[in-house]
Coordinates of all heavy atoms in Angstrom, one line a residue:
A6 N -1.9 15.0 -2.9 CA -1.9 16.0 -4.0 C -2.5 17.3 -3.5 O -3.3 17.3 -2.6 CB -2.7 15.5 -5.2
V7 N -2.0 18.4 -4.0 CA -2.5 19.7 -3.7 C -3.1 20.3 -5.0 O -2.5 20.3 -6.0 CB -1.4 20.6 -3.2 CG1 -1.9 22.1 -3.0 CG2 -0.8 20.1 -1.9
L8 N -4.4 20.7 -4.9 CA -5.0 21.3 -6.0 C -6.0 22.4 -5.7 O -6.2 22.7 -4.5 CB -5.9 20.2 -6.8 CG -6.1 18.9 -6.3 CD1 -7.5 18.4 -6.3 CD2 -5.3 18.0 -7.2
R9 N -6.5 23.1 -6.7 CA -7.5 24.1 -6.5 C -8.8 23.5 -6.1 O -9.2 22.5 -6.7 CB -7.6 25.0 -7.7 CG -6.4 25.8 -8.0 CD -6.6 26.6 -9.3 NE -5.4 27.3 -9.6 CZ -5.1 28.5 -9.1 NH1 -6.0 29.2 -8.4 NH2 -4.0 29.1 -9.4
P10 N -9.6 24.1 -5.2 CA -10.8 23.5 -4.8 C -11.8 23.3 -5.9 O -12.6 22.3 -5.9 CB -11.4 24.6 -3.8 CG -10.2 25.3 -3.3 CD -9.2 25.3 -4.4
N11 N -11.8 24.1 -6.9 CA -12.7 24.0 -8.0 C -12.5 22.8 -8.9 O -13.3 22.4 -9.8 CB -12.8 25.2 -8.9 CG -11.5 25.5 -9.6 OD1 -10.5 25.0 -9.3 ND2 -11.6 26.4 -10.6
R12 N -11.4 22.1 -8.7 CA -11.0 20.8 -9.4 C -11.5 19.6 -8.7 O -11.5 18.5 -9.3 CB -9.5 20.7 -9.6 CG -8.9 21.9 -10.3 CD -9.4 22.2 -11.7 NE -9.4 21.1 -12.5 CZ -10.2 20.8 -13.5 NH1 -11.2 21.7 -13.8 NH2 -10.1 19.8 -14.3
G36 N -1.0 27.7 0.9 CA 0.4 27.6 0.5 C 0.8 28.8 -0.3 O -0.1 29.6 -0.7
F37 N 2.0 28.9 -0.7 CA 2.5 29.9 -1.6 C 3.5 29.3 -2.6 O 4.1 28.3 -2.4 CB 3.1 31.1 -0.9 CG 4.3 30.8 -0.1 CD1 5.6 31.0 -0.7 CD2 4.3 30.4 1.2 CE1 6.7 30.7 0.0 CE2 5.4 30.1 1.9 CZ 6.6 30.3 1.3
T38 N 3.7 30.0 -3.7 CA 4.6 29.6 -4.8 C 6.0 30.1 -4.4 O 6.2 31.2 -4.0 CB 4.2 30.2 -6.1 OG1 2.8 29.7 -6.4 CG2 5.1 29.7 -7.2
L42 N 10.2 30.5 -8.9 CA 9.4 29.9 -10.0 C 8.6 31.0 -10.7 O 8.1 30.7 -11.8 CB 8.5 28.9 -9.5 CG 9.1 27.6 -8.9 CD1 8.0 26.7 -8.3 CD2 10.0 26.9 -9.9
S56 N -2.7 31.3 -0.8 CA -4.0 31.1 -1.4 C -4.5 29.7 -1.0 O -3.8 28.8 -0.8 CB -3.9 31.2 -2.9 OG -3.1 30.3 -3.4
G57 N -5.9 29.7 -0.8 CA -6.5 28.4 -0.4 C -6.4 27.3 -1.4 O -6.7 27.6 -2.6
K58 N -6.1 26.2 -1.0 CA -6.0 25.0 -1.9 C -6.6 23.8 -1.1 O -7.0 24.0 0.1 CB -4.6 24.6 -2.2 CG -3.8 25.7 -2.9 CD -4.1 25.8 -4.4 CE -3.3 26.9 -5.0 NZ -2.2 26.5 -5.8
I59 N -6.7 22.7 -1.7 CA -7.1 21.5 -1.0 C -6.0 20.5 -1.1 O -5.3 20.5 -2.1 CB -8.4 20.9 -1.5 CG1 -8.4 20.5 -3.0 CG2 -9.6 21.8 -1.1 CD1 -9.5 19.7 -3.4
I77 N -5.3 12.0 -11.1 CA -5.1 13.2 -10.3 C -4.4 14.3 -11.1 O -4.8 15.5 -11.1 CB -4.3 12.9 -9.0 CG1 -5.2 12.0 -8.0 CG2 -3.9 14.2 -8.2 CD1 -4.4 11.5 -6.8
M78 N -3.3 13.9 -11.8 CA -2.6 14.9 -12.6 C -3.5 15.5 -13.7 O -3.5 16.7 -13.9 CB -1.3 14.3 -13.1 CG -0.3 14.1 -12.0 SD 1.4 13.7 -12.6 CE 1.1 12.2 -13.5
R79 N -4.2 14.6 -14.3 CA -5.1 15.1 -15.5 C -6.1 16.0 -15.0 O -6.4 17.1 -15.5 CB -5.7 13.9 -16.2 CG -6.5 14.2 -17.4 CD -7.2 13.1 -18.0 NE -8.3 12.6 -17.1 CZ -8.4 11.3 -16.7 NH1 -7.6 10.4 -17.1 NH2 -9.4 11.0 -15.9
E80 N -6.8 15.6 -13.9 CA -8.0 16.4 -13.4 C -7.5 17.6 -12.5 O -8.3 18.5 -12.4 CB -8.9 15.5 -12.6 CG -9.5 14.4 -13.4 CD -10.4 14.9 -14.6 OE1 -10.9 16.0 -14.5 OE2 -10.5 14.1 -15.6
G81 N -6.3 17.6 -11.9 CA -5.9 18.6 -11.0 C -5.2 19.8 -11.6 O -5.2 20.9 -11.1
R82 N -4.6 19.6 -12.8 CA -3.8 20.6 -13.4 C -4.7 21.7 -14.1 O -5.6 21.4 -14.7 CB -2.9 20.0 -14.5 CG -1.7 19.3 -13.9 CD -0.7 19.0 -14.9 NE 0.5 18.3 -14.3 CZ 1.2 17.4 -14.9 NH1 0.9 17.1 -16.1 NH2 2.2 16.9 -14.2
T83 N -4.2 22.9 -13.9 CA -4.9 24.1 -14.5 C -3.9 24.8 -15.5 O -4.4 25.7 -16.1 CB -5.5 25.1 -13.5 OG1 -4.4 25.7 -12.8 CG2 -6.4 24.4 -12.6
G84 N -2.7 24.5 -15.4 CA -1.7 25.2 -16.2 C -1.0 26.3 -15.4 O -0.1 26.9 -15.9
Q85 N -1.4 26.5 -14.2 CA -0.8 27.5 -13.3 C 0.2 26.9 -12.4 O 0.1 25.7 -12.0 CB -1.8 28.3 -12.6 CG -2.8 29.0 -13.5 CD -3.8 29.9 -12.7 OE1 -3.8 29.9 -11.5 NE2 -4.7 30.5 -13.5
I86 N 1.2 27.6 -12.0 CA 2.3 27.1 -11.1 C 1.7 26.6 -9.8 O 0.8 27.3 -9.2 CB 3.3 28.2 -10.8 CG1 4.1 28.6 -12.1 CG2 4.3 27.8 -9.7 CD1 5.0 29.8 -11.9
G87 N 2.1 25.4 -9.4 CA 1.6 24.9 -8.1 C 0.4 24.1 -8.1 O 0.0 23.5 -7.1
D88 N -0.3 23.9 -9.3 CA -1.5 23.2 -9.3 C -1.2 21.7 -9.8 O -0.3 21.5 -10.6 CB -2.5 23.8 -10.4 CG -3.1 25.0 -9.8 OD1 -3.0 25.3 -8.6 OD2 -3.7 25.8 -10.6
G89 N -1.9 20.8 -9.2 CA -1.8 19.4 -9.6 C -0.5 18.7 -9.1 O 0.0 17.8 -9.7
L90 N 0.0 19.2 -8.0 CA 1.2 18.6 -7.4 C 0.8 17.3 -6.8 O -0.1 17.2 -6.0 CB 1.8 19.5 -6.3 CG 2.3 20.9 -6.8 CD1 2.7 21.7 -5.6 CD2 3.4 20.8 -7.8
V91 N 1.6 16.2 -7.1 CA 1.2 14.9 -6.7 C 2.5 14.2 -6.2 O 3.6 14.3 -6.8 CB 0.6 14.0 -7.8 CG1 0.3 12.6 -7.3 CG2 -0.6 14.7 -8.4
W92 N 2.4 13.5 -5.0 CA 3.5 12.7 -4.6 C 3.0 11.4 -3.9 O 1.9 11.4 -3.4 CB 4.5 13.5 -3.7 CG 4.0 14.0 -2.4 CD1 4.1 13.5 -1.2 CD2 3.2 15.2 -2.2 NE1 3.5 14.2 -0.2 CE2 2.9 15.3 -0.8 CE3 2.7 16.2 -3.0 CZ2 2.2 16.3 -0.3 CZ3 1.9 17.2 -2.5 CH2 1.7 17.3 -1.1

Side-chain angles (χ1 to χ4, degrees):
V7 176
L8 9 131
R9 293 178 180 269
N11 66 345
R12 304 302 305 152
F37 65 93
T38 301
L42 296 177
S56 59
K58 303 281 177 101
I59 59 170
I77 293 170
M78 289 189 302
R79 181 185 72 231
E80 299 298 333
R82 285 191 179 149
T83 65
Q85 296 183 4
I86 293 174
D88 287 344
L90 299 174
V91 180
W92 63 100

